[in-house]
Amino acid sequence: MSLSAVLLAAGSSPSPTPSESPTALVPSLQDAQESATNAASWVEQNWSTWLSIGLRVLLIVVIAAVLRMTLRRAITKLIDRMNRTAQAVDGTALGGLLVNVERRRQRSQAIGSVLKSVASFLIMGTAALMILGTFEINLAPLLASAGVAGVAIGFGARNLVTDFLSGVFMILEDQYGVGDTIDAGVASGEVIEVGLRVTKLRGDQGEIWYVRNGEVKRIGNLSQGWATAGVDVTVRSDEDLDRVKATLAEVGEQMSKEEPWNEMLWGPIEILGLDSVLLDSMVIHLSAKTMPGKALTVERELRWRVKRALDAAGIRIVGGLLPAPEEEPPADPTAGMAAPSAYSNTGSPQAQAATPLVSPPASK
């Protein structure tokens, strides 16, 4: 029942005409009683509808709040369990690398933030639509407007949406994390912060790169799995191969037993054989699996040890010792002398022509 109908039912009279007397403008007690009776009857007819709508709205709000709180607590427990879980790999150092505290903390926080935001948006959005439907509001225009606005925002901020979605999948798939050394194509370096939109890298020169997740087309993670250290040993072609191999094997075995190289090496140093054989040299290749990011350090130490071992065994590398300098012939004493000149003979015509003229003595 509309407000105008209620007023008419309550006994509101039309505006008096000038011909009516002033006493007719004052409502009588009977009119007031009829108005109160009509209003009470209208409230009595509609209070059940109001109560039903209010209870439904209250029930929707309570269910949405409880469901949201329950999901947020479940997500928090899941994130805490992710932080406590240590995924060691057969007790190797790789397990310790994967349990990087800062990396796992940032990754779990990002995942938890995304899940909580998605859960809150879905629950509260659904509850708001249900409440509007309870008041018998037509939701079709609202949903159509929201769809158009969403499409417009998607086109206008497509780069932002791309960055966000790429960051979400990157974190969920654990493609890289804090402490990893990666090659992102547009930049490379050590990851110092992982976000849903931007990843921060520290380059080799100390510079910080801000890489948008949507711009990354490929990722080369240099900190997952293992690295390979390779060293080429070039010796003269007339050396005994068995002797060279035994010397190199001894170097590798000794290095694998010493600290800290026994932790960096995740496998024995293997002698893979000859890479090339030339007339004056041959190349022997050594290889070993190392911790991620430690290949260069292992290669330098291995070259140092190989050089010392070959020198001690008398095995010459290409170039060998410098040849002894050849004795130079004695210097020619006349090499620095000038050729004889015609002016050295005072009797020669040239010398006489060059002799200064002497002026005759003055007469007395």
Side-chain angles (χ1 to χ4, degrees):
M1 183 181 297
S2 62
L3 182 59
S4 59
V6 173
L7 293 177
L8 292 175
S12 58
S13 59
S15 300
T17 59
S19 61
E20 294 179 352
S21 62
T23 57
L25 297 176
V26 179
S28 62
L29 180 60
Q30 183 178 1
D31 295 336
Q33 186 177 3
E34 291 179 359
S35 300
T37 303
N38 294 332
S41 62
W42 181 79
V43 172
E44 184 179 1
Q45 293 175 2
N46 293 278
W47 75 270
S48 58
T49 304
W50 297 345
L51 181 60
S52 175
I53 293 175
L55 291 178
R56 290 168 63 183
V57 171
L58 180 61
L59 182 62
I60 292 173
V61 172
V62 170
I63 293 177
V66 172
L67 185 59
R68 178 175 179 270
M69 183 176 59
T70 304
L71 286 180
R72 290 178 69 90
R73 285 187 177 181
I75 293 172
T76 302
K77 290 183 179 180
L78 177 63
I79 298 305
D80 293 340
R81 183 176 298 179
M82 290 176 58
N83 289 332
R84 293 194 303 265
T85 303
Q87 299 178 352
V89 181
D90 297 331
T92 61
L94 178 60
L97 181 64
L98 290 177
V99 191
N100 184 292
V101 177
E102 182 64 18
R103 170 178 176 174
R104 295 180 65 85
R105 184 186 67 82
Q106 289 198 11
R107 178 171 178 260
S108 61
Q109 285 184 352
I111 294 176
S113 176
V114 172
L115 293 179
K116 289 179 180 179
S117 299
V118 171
S120 298
F121 177 78
L122 292 178
I123 293 174
M124 302 310 295
T126 304
L129 293 178
M130 293 178 65
I131 290 174
L132 293 178
T134 302
F135 287 102
E136 297 182 356
I137 297 176
N138 188 9
L139 299 179
L142 180 62
L143 295 178
S145 301
V148 173
V151 172
I153 294 175
F155 276 108
R158 57 184 179 276
N159 291 333
L160 181 62
V161 175
T162 302
D163 296 340
F164 181 81
L165 293 178
S166 299
V168 169
F169 284 105
M170 179 271 300
I171 292 175
L172 292 177
E173 296 172 359
D174 195 19
Q175 298 177 7
Y176 56 83
V178 175
D180 288 351
T181 301
I182 66 171
D183 181 3
V186 293
S188 60
E190 181 182 354
V191 180
I192 60 177
E193 185 177 342
V194 178
L196 293 177
R197 193 181 70 86
V198 174
T199 298
K200 293 171 63 175
L201 305 177
R202 184 174 296 279
D204 297 334
Q205 305 300 325
E207 69 277 10
I208 295 180
W209 298 95
Y210 294 85
V211 181
R212 289 171 44 196
N213 295 328
E215 296 293 329
V216 178
K217 303 303 180 183
R218 59 152 176 93
I219 288 290
N221 196 326
L222 307 180
S223 299
Q224 288 183 352
W226 63 82
T228 302
V231 174
D232 291 330
V233 181
T234 306
V235 297
R236 299 177 67 88
S237 58
D238 55 356
E239 296 290 346
D240 186 0
L241 282 176
D242 294 333
R243 185 162 169 259
V244 174
K245 183 177 181 180
T247 304
L248 297 178
E250 183 180 358
V251 171
E253 183 178 359
Q254 183 179 3
M255 184 175 175
S256 301
K257 295 179 180 179
E258 297 181 3
E259 294 184 355
W261 312 110
N262 55 353
E263 296 181 358
M264 296 184 184
L265 290 170
W266 288 0
I269 299 178
E270 300 178 353
I271 304 175
L272 300 183
L274 291 174
D275 268 8
S276 63
V277 178
L278 303 177
L279 292 177
D280 58 346
S281 65
M282 53 185 177
V283 180
I284 303 174
H285 187 70
L286 306 180
S287 178
K289 291 182 179 180
T290 68
M291 290 178 59
K294 300 298 182 181
L296 186 59
T297 303
V298 173
E299 289 176 359
R300 291 170 176 171
E301 179 66 18
L302 185 57
R303 291 191 187 97
W304 181 282
R305 292 172 178 261
V306 167
K307 178 63 171 62
R308 295 180 61 182
L310 292 180
D311 291 344
I315 300 174
R316 294 187 301 171
I317 61 175
V318 168
L321 300 176
L322 294 177
E326 298 180 358
E327 296 183 359
E328 297 181 358
D332 186 4
T334 62
M337 299 177 60
S341 175
Y343 295 100
S344 61
N345 185 5
T346 57
S348 63
Q350 294 85 352
Q352 293 179 0
T355 301
L357 298 176
V358 179
S359 60
S363 61
K364 296 182 178 180

